[in-house]
Amino acid sequence: MNSDEVICSCLGVTAGMIKDAVDGGAHTLDEVKAATGAGTVCGVCDGDVQNVIDEVLKG
């Protein structure tokens, strides 16, 4: 995973920011959205955000 890859273009949330949120205890899409703001503007990136969450949790 490229931690600099922008996952949410509306707010500029990167994969690294999502990973940090997951590492900090946000394990669901809603928790990551609350922690990072990703997916809260238009929602188009929800699937991509979930993919990053899944990848991080998988280890």
Side-chain angles (χ1 to χ4, degrees):
M1 169 184 19
N2 176 0
S3 61
D4 293 330
E5 179 185 356
V6 175
I7 303 299
C8 173
S9 58
C10 291
L11 296 177
V13 178
T14 64
M17 294 165 73
I18 295 168
K19 180 187 183 306
D20 289 345
V22 173
D23 289 344
H27 294 159
T28 67
L29 179 60
D30 285 339
E31 290 171 344
V32 169
K33 288 171 93 167
T36 65
T40 61
V41 176
C42 77
V44 168
C45 64
D46 281 358
D48 294 331
V49 173
Q50 185 64 58
N51 289 341
V52 175
I53 295 167
D54 293 343
E55 186 174 331
V56 172
L57 290 176
K58 173 171 72 171

